[in-house]
């Protein structure tokens, strides 16, 4: 897998005081001026400076590469005037509501904007293969940072290069986003649960696409023989496993420990982490350092972006997505959740910590669980960690199980899809083998964490459908001008030589080579997390947020959509004219609400009221949005991965939903 360095990232703690905070109540035109003022970087390359973090972004970027703030956050009047219906409101006026909802906000803007990829190869063989493959060659990510593959241990030089040679292949990904408050996604449990049950109202009688994609169901797409897995040789199935939970619950420590126990991190490497962590006075974070690689993450002792690691169980090739728990990085956690087939929800059992993490307003446990459910994840291993701190108390475990269980049930997780595992990542109890500590083994008879993971079901992959891969990140190589698109295949299959349509540009290229788990592979199928190196294509046309597809089945590209959404608890009212951030797979755009079509009964999906004036928390509704720029999108009924959306405002997720219609303009 390709990788990126980020030692030269903006340090969010430095120079981000209140005065610099993002003011959402600014004058739109002024802001656009501020962020678009082009500045010569080199004679060829033009850049625009982000008004928030002052990072100089390439002209082609529509959102800041570091903090993710949209370059032109508001949809231009030109677009909206055409479509926005005149609106009258008695009291309070929409302006009152909007300005109440859009108070100037101080935001700790964080995170990068695309997948950050790093690679570590442990064995001598892998080191050699890396040297042969990339030795000294540099790769440039979409951010323009250079990555050298060299025989060293993950050290970074001043230019942000990463040199690696360790066992665990890792990627870092995030959705650029503003910070999120603790109230993000404060939707009611019942609302979350009902997401999947909302009927797809208003479906497509006059639905049409900007670029029509042949309906997959009607299509004549005939999968070829190579696309199907060879049942004899491919005995292991890929499982994308998100690891989520409240900040500091021990997700990265657990991941690091698991990888070490499974031989994915060598003893030598582990010693190095321990030594370095101790030197920085953070000895207890040694295992977490395997996942938290950036200087910022290590210094602050928190995960900021999703780290990706790999290991095998008896049944699965597991792609582990270690997500950040801190409330400021909820969008990055969401980016991981979009790719997950199943999840480990880590709970900190220690006194007070469980209560804080489970708190409705301040904790992230509930929020993460809701996000998972909202994105269709239904199998969860609940890892009750730090049991050593509570003396492996059965009573404590039972209390947590009862409280979290009730909550998960209200989110419509089935009891049969939940596996409860008490453990201690720090003391290596119940991770890959039955507990050795008698305080735990005396009462716990269930599976170890590894057995629990092994028992998860890998969802059926649709290899028979045409290829569909949302692009999570793009890596450009200075060698031969190569470009690689990284992401998870949502449908279909690809192999070297396959023709690939790159959307939204519409360019057709060829898959030159594929990499999965940092190794070259001959075929990638739905569910696989891969990097596809493309040839015969303008590298600039391959962008994160775009989609790779089958040349005969272009994914629709649209600027106007009908959505069916649930407004989350704590969200400001949504009105015609409301400006929101629209997120779908790895794409995001500024959006304006142009029509409120109907209010729905959240349980039955039936229309309760047509043309409501305003949507408030916990309401379910159909609305139309107009996007500032076109995005690759599908209706939910056609592709779940490309049809699930979330709307954010002021660093909070205000609604989740699905695309029910793509509207031709
Ligand atoms: P974020 O990614 O920032 O949300 O944190 P995290 O959930 O990844 O937690 P991390 O792994 O960084 O661990 C936080 C702290 O908890 C570290 O000091 C760990 O040493 C400690 N910790 C993790 N697991 C255990 C455990 O089983 N027992 C004890 N006593 N401490 C643990
Ligand atoms: Mg972490």
């Amino acid at each position: 897998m390709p990788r990126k360095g980020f030692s030269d990232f903006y340090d969010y703690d430095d120079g981000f005081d209140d005065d610099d905070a993002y003011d959402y109540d600014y004058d739109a035109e002024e802001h656009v001026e501020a962020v678009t003022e082009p500045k010569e970087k080199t004679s060829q390359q033009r850049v625009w400076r982000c008004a928030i973090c002052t990072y100089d972004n390439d002209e082609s970027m529509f959102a800041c590469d570091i903090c993710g703030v949209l370059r032109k956050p508001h949809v231009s009047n030109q677009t909206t005037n055409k479509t926005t219906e005149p609106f009258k409101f008695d009291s309070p006026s929409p302006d009152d509501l909007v300005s109440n909802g859009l108070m100037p906000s101080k935001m700790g803007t964080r995170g990068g904007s695309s997948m950050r990829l790093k690679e570590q190869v442990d064995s001598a063989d892998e080191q050699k293969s890396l040297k042969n493959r990339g030795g000294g060659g540099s790769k440039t990510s979409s951010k323009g940072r250079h990555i050298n593959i060299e025989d060293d241990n993950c050290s970074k030089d001043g230019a942000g290069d990463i040199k690696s040679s360790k066992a665990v292949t890792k990627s870092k990904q995030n959705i650029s986003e503003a910070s999120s408050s603790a109230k993000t996604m404060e939707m009611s449990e019942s609302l979350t649960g009902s997401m999947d049950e909302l009927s797809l109202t208003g479906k497509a009688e006059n639905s049409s696409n900007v670029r029509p994609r042949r309906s997959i169901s009607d299509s004549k797409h005939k999968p070829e023989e190579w696309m199907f897995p060879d049942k004899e040789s491919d005995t292991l199935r890929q499982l994308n496993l998100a690891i989520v939970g409240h900040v500091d619950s021990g997700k990265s420590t657990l991941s690091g420990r698991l990888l070490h126990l499974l031989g994915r991190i060598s003893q030598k490497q582990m010693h190095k982490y321990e030594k370095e962590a101790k030197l920085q006075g953070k000895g207890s974070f040694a295992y977490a350092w395997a996942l938290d690689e950036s200087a910022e993450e290590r210094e602050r002792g928190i995960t900021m972006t999703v780290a990706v690691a790999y290991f095998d169980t008896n049944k699965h090739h597991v792609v582990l997505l270690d997500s950040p728990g801190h409330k400021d990085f909820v969008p990055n956690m969401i980016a991981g959740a979009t790719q997950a087939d199943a999840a480990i929800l880590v709970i900190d059992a220690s006194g007070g910590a469980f209560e804080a993490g489970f708190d409705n307003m301040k904790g992230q446990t509930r929020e993460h669980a809701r996000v998972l459910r909202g994105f269709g994840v239904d199998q969860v291993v609940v890892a009750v960690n730090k049991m050593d701190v509570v003396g492996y108390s059965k009573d404590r475990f039972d209390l947590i199980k009862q409280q979290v269980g009730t909550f998960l049930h209200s989110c419509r997780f089935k009891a049969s899809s939940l596996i409860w595992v008490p453990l201690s990542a720090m003391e290596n109890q119940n991770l890959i083998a039955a507990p050795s500590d008698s305080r735990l083994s005396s009462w716990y008879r269930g599976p170890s964490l590894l057995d629990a993971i092994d028992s998860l079901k890998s969802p059926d992959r649709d290899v028979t459908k045409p290829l569909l891969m949302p692009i999570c990140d793009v890596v450009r190589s200075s060698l031969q001008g190569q470009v690689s698109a990284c992401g998870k295949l949502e449908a279909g299959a690809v192999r070297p030589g396959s023709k690939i349509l790159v959307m939204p540009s519409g360019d057709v290229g060829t898959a030159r080579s594929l990499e999965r788990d940092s190794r070259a592979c001959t075929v990638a199928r739905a569910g696989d997390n891969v990097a596809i190196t493309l040839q015969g294509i303008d590298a600039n046309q391959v962008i994160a947020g775009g989609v790779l597809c089958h040349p005969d089945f272009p994914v629709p590209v649209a600027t106007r959509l009908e959505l069916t959404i649930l407004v989350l608890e704590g969200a400001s009212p949504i009105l015609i004219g409301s400006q929101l951030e629209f997120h779908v797979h790895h794409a995001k755009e500024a959006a304006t609400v142009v029509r409120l079509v109907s209010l729905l009964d959240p349980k039955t999906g039936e229309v309760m009221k047509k043309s409501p004036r305003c949507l408030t928390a916990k309401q379910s509704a159909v609305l139309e949005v107009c996007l500032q720029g076109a995005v690759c999108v599908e209706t939910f009924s056609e592709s779940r991965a490309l049809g699930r959306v979330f709307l954010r405002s002021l660093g909070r997720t205000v609604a989740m939903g699905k695309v029910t219609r793509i509207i031709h303009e």
Side-chain angles (χ1 to χ4, degrees), residues 1-3 117-119 121 129-130 133-134 139 149 169 238 310 469 482 484-487 489 494 496 511-524 528-533:
M1 285 281 268
R3 69 220 76 175
L117 301 152
K118 296 188 225 167
E119 181 171 334
V121 176
S129 86
L130 272 181
R133 205 174 58 218
K139 291 184 178 182
I149 305 167
T169 299
Q238 178 137 343
Y310 304 86
M469 187 186 99
Q482 275 177 21
S484 300
C486 311
L489 261 74
V494 61
R512 188 171 184 270
S513 59
L514 309 176
E515 273 187 32
R516 188 175 54 203
D517 191 359
S518 39
R519 294 186 188 117
C521 60
T522 51
V523 58
D528 288 347
N529 235 301
V530 289
I532 304 177
T533 303

Side-chain angles (χ1 to χ4, degrees), residues 556-568:
V557 179
T559 53
R560 190 166 169 145
L561 302 165
E562 180 191 270
L563 312 176
T564 299
I565 60 158
L566 284 166
V567 185
L568 308 182

Side-chain angles (χ1 to χ4, degrees), residues 39-112:
K39 174 174 116 149
E40 282 305 309
K41 199 178 193 179
T42 65
S43 50
Q44 286 93 17
Q45 204 180 355
R46 291 180 75 79
V47 296
W48 59 272
R49 176 161 291 182
C50 174
I52 306 306
C53 70
T54 69
Y55 182 74
D56 287 336
N57 290 280
D58 189 85
E59 182 66 22
S60 61
M61 302 293 291
F62 75 102
C64 175
D65 206 12
I66 296 297
C67 66
V69 166
L70 294 173
R71 182 179 180 182
K72 295 174 187 172
H74 289 175
V75 176
S76 69
N77 290 341
Q78 238 186 340
T79 330
T80 52
N81 284 350
K82 266 195 293 179
T83 47
T84 308
E85 292 167 5
F87 182 72
K88 293 227 163 72
F89 211 99
D90 307 327
S91 175
S93 78
D95 286 350
D96 291 340
L97 288 169
V98 170
S99 53
N100 288 341
L102 303 182
M103 290 290 284
S105 158
K106 314 263 184 208
M107 297 176 51
T109 313
R110 297 163 198 271

Side-chain angles (χ1 to χ4, degrees), residues 252 292 303 322:
S252 304
D292 298 337
T303 304
D322 176 37

Side-chain angles (χ1 to χ4, degrees), residues 21-318:
Y22 189 30
D23 181 350
Y24 272 81
D25 235 4
Y26 60 86
D27 178 282
E29 273 175 26
E30 236 178 74
H31 177 75
V32 170
E33 274 284 318
V35 295
T36 53
E37 189 187 341
K39 174 174 116 149
E40 282 305 309
K41 199 178 193 179
T42 65
S43 50
Q44 286 93 17
Q45 204 180 355
R46 291 180 75 79
V47 296
W48 59 272
R49 176 161 291 182
C50 174
I52 306 306
C53 70
T54 69
Y55 182 74
D56 287 336
N57 290 280
D58 189 85
E59 182 66 22
S60 61
M61 302 293 291
F62 75 102
C64 175
D65 206 12
I66 296 297
C67 66
V69 166
L70 294 173
R71 182 179 180 182
K72 295 174 187 172
H74 289 175
V75 176
S76 69
N77 290 341
Q78 238 186 340
T79 330
T80 52
N81 284 350
K82 266 195 293 179
T83 47
T84 308
E85 292 167 5
F87 182 72
K88 293 227 163 72
F89 211 99
D90 307 327
S91 175
S93 78
D95 286 350
D96 291 340
L97 288 169
V98 170
S99 53
N100 288 341
L102 303 182
M103 290 290 284
S105 158
K106 314 263 184 208
M107 297 176 51
T109 313
R110 297 163 198 271
S113 64
S114 59
M115 193 154 179
R116 300 178 189 170
L117 301 152
K118 296 188 225 167
E119 181 171 334
Q120 309 171 310
V121 176
D122 200 31
S123 68
D125 283 357
E126 283 167 329
Q127 287 183 24
K128 269 186 224 147
S129 86
L130 272 181
K131 274 194 222 164
N132 293 341
R133 205 174 58 218
S138 74
K139 291 184 178 182
T140 309
S141 77
S142 53
K143 292 182 178 178
R145 293 184 180 83
H146 300 276
I147 294 97
N148 290 339
I149 305 167
E150 288 176 22
D151 186 13
D152 194 357
N153 286 329
C154 194
S155 58
K156 298 173 194 173
D157 67 21
D161 291 359
I162 289 188
K163 303 164 182 177
S164 68
S165 70
K166 292 176 281 122
V168 188
T169 299
K170 292 207 313 165
S171 314
K172 288 267 181 181
Q173 68 185 84
N174 64 47
I175 285 183
S176 61
E177 197 41 277
S179 71
S180 152
S181 82
K183 288 179 194 165
T184 304
M185 310 283 299
E186 288 299 340
M187 58 181 150
S188 77
E189 291 83 43
S190 58
L191 282 181
T192 313
S194 61
M195 272 294 298
D196 281 352
E197 284 164 28
L198 280 176
S199 65
L200 298 172
T201 49
K203 198 177 147 205
E205 22 135 347
N206 58 350
S207 165
S208 57
N209 308 326
V210 173
R211 276 171 193 257
R213 175 180 169 86
R214 265 183 246 168
S215 162
I216 292 163
S217 40
D218 300 341
S219 75
K220 295 203 174 72
H221 176 68
K222 283 211 182 80
E224 295 166 38
E225 209 164 297
W226 62 267
M227 294 176 172
F228 294 94
D230 173 358
K231 287 202 173 125
E232 277 174 20
S233 61
D234 295 346
T235 46
L236 299 188
R237 303 197 63 190
Q238 178 137 343
L239 184 79
N240 297 288
L241 186 66
I243 178 157
V244 303
H246 187 65
V247 66
D248 272 352
S249 52
K251 300 177 290 298
S252 304
T253 304
L254 183 57
S255 306
R257 188 92 201 211
L258 203 53
L259 294 167
H260 181 229
L261 290 168
L262 295 172
R264 301 291 307 198
I265 300 173
S266 68
Q267 201 57 36
K268 190 174 155 211
Q269 185 59 41
M270 204 52 240
H271 276 309
K272 190 169 182 288
Y273 289 140
E274 277 165 13
K275 216 169 113 189
E276 288 171 358
K278 260 191 204 143
L279 268 177
Q280 281 200 25
K282 293 200 185 301
S284 71
F285 285 89
Y287 287 104
W289 277 28
L291 288 299
D292 298 337
E293 286 190 313
S294 77
E296 293 92 332
E297 288 178 315
R298 290 179 172 187
E299 205 178 302
R300 298 178 62 182
I302 58 167
T303 304
M304 292 159 75
T305 55
V306 176
V308 183
Y310 304 86
F311 65 87
D312 289 347
T313 66
N314 288 334
K315 287 195 200 137
H316 306 296
H317 284 301
V318 178

